[in-house]
Amino acid sequence: MASAPSSDDMFDQFLSQRGHDVEETGWEENYNKKQCPDCGGLHESTASQCSVCGWAPAH
Ligand SMILES: [Zn+2]
């Protein structure tokens, strides 16, 4: 089976820095606690993930 020629170069160009369009998603703050922006659940400031709906902040 012949292997297809690598198209890494094309992909490199296509993916090369197109300006980040990343929306920074993080916890809401409420009464010194973290509030899940998804379900509104309150968590300790040490929480890294919502235990209610499973939401986690994008990194
Ligand atoms: Zn949640």
Side-chain angles (χ1 to χ4, degrees), residues 27 36-41 43 47-58:
W27 295 99
C36 174
D38 208 28
C39 71
H43 301 280
S48 58
Q49 174 178 350
C50 178
S51 59
V52 179
C53 71
W55 176 91

Side-chain angles (χ1 to χ4, degrees), residues 11-35:
F11 274 74
D12 253 16
Q13 285 185 4
F14 182 72
L15 294 175
S16 67
Q17 307 187 351
R18 313 176 53 198
H20 300 263
D21 198 26
V22 178
E23 205 173 304
E24 205 165 310
T25 308
W27 295 99
E28 305 285 337
E29 284 181 26
N30 208 340
Y31 299 103
N32 292 327
K33 294 196 175 216
K34 288 176 172 175
Q35 183 173 30

